[in-house]
Amino acid sequence: MIPLQLDLSAVLLLAVAAGNLGGMSVEPRMSGTGVSTGGPGVAFASNLDLKNEGYSGFHIFKYRVLTGLLRPLTKDPLGGQRNPKLSDGSAVGIFETTGEPADPNQQAKRGPNGPYNADGNSEIYRFVGKNVVRPITRTTGCTNDHSSIMGNGRGIGFRSDCDLISGHNPLGRQQAFVYYEVHRGEPLSTAAECSIAAGCCSTANGC
């Protein structure tokens, strides 16, 4: 196994920038190496304008360990993005936000078009590559947080007190949820006709 060497000069540069500009870079998360990708990466939240784009508040950045490339993953002018997590190879990731990190003018993949977080509650977002940022949750007046992601980038776990499955959490209790990105043409893992008593749980059978 070849030992992984971090570019400590880049880490030092970020630390110095934080001290000089009066901001902070927090919550670093490093990915696994992955296969056929640009190698491991480090995602972090920062309220520094590290790329001189004029943004304020906390944004998500990704640093490629093997290439030294630093790139912002969110472009919400007001910030509000925290707690990033990365898949193996760092091509896919998630974060939590009280802002509007997805372009409200872009066509929604599911559901109505933006704005996607008009009330500014805590939502879970997923990013793919350098340009795609989409909401996983779209809720109002509740909280989605404590998110995690599988190594393959498709499975996401999180906590929520929202009524994500309509009518099944009217009291707003905190519950654990799992979201899995199913590709077109893949069979669903849970058949709609399978009952809860038989150990199946899906929106089709009311779970």
Side-chain angles (χ1 to χ4, degrees), residues 11 57 78 82 88 108 148 155 166 194:
V11 176
L78 299 180
R82 298 291 296 263
D88 290 344
S148 60
S166 182
C194 187

Side-chain angles (χ1 to χ4, degrees), residues 2 6 44 57 81 130 172:
I2 300 176
L6 293 177
F44 61 94
Q81 286 80 55
K130 62 181 180 180

Side-chain angles (χ1 to χ4, degrees), residues 83-199:
N83 299 320
K85 310 288 193 320
L86 292 172
S87 67
D88 290 344
S90 72
V92 181
I94 57 173
F95 59 92
E96 300 160 20
T97 180
T98 55
E100 188 74 67
D103 182 354
N105 298 313
Q106 76 176 358
Q107 185 73 25
K109 185 177 181 180
R110 301 181 186 90
N113 292 334
Y116 299 99
N117 192 19
D119 74 329
N121 68 318
S122 179
E123 304 282 15
I124 309 296
Y125 275 66
R126 179 176 185 258
F127 64 81
V128 180
K130 62 181 180 180
N131 295 317
V132 178
V133 177
R134 298 191 184 280
I136 295 299
T137 59
R138 295 181 66 175
T139 58
T140 302
C142 52
T143 300
N144 306 279
D145 58 12
H146 288 271
S147 55
S148 60
I149 188 169
M150 292 179 65
N152 65 9
R154 297 172 64 183
I156 297 169
F158 61 96
R159 184 181 71 175
S160 178
D161 59 11
C162 306
D163 192 18
L164 293 179
I165 302 174
S166 182
H168 287 264
N169 191 23
L171 299 180
R173 294 190 175 97
Q174 292 181 342
Q175 299 176 327
F177 288 85
V178 174
Y179 167 91
Y180 197 83
E181 187 80 8
V182 178
H183 294 166
R184 181 172 296 179
E186 285 185 335
L188 297 178
S189 59
T190 302
E193 64 272 12
C194 187
S195 67
I196 297 175

Side-chain angles (χ1 to χ4, degrees), residues 24-104:
M24 63 179 68
S25 297
V26 296
E27 301 161 350
R29 301 289 190 276
M30 187 170 184
S31 74
T33 55
V35 179
S36 300
T37 69
V42 178
F44 61 94
S46 180
N47 62 357
L48 298 166
D49 190 11
L50 296 175
K51 301 297 287 186
N52 299 315
E53 294 184 323
Y55 299 144
S56 62
F58 277 93
H59 286 268
I60 306 301
F61 291 82
K62 183 170 71 174
Y63 173 74
R64 285 285 193 183
V65 174
L66 300 183
T67 64
L69 178 65
L70 178 67
R71 173 179 287 133
L73 297 176
T74 57
K75 299 180 179 181
D76 179 3
L78 299 180
Q81 286 80 55
R82 298 291 296 263
N83 299 320
K85 310 288 193 320
L86 292 172
S87 67
D88 290 344
S90 72
V92 181
I94 57 173
F95 59 92
E96 300 160 20
T97 180
T98 55
E100 188 74 67
D103 182 354

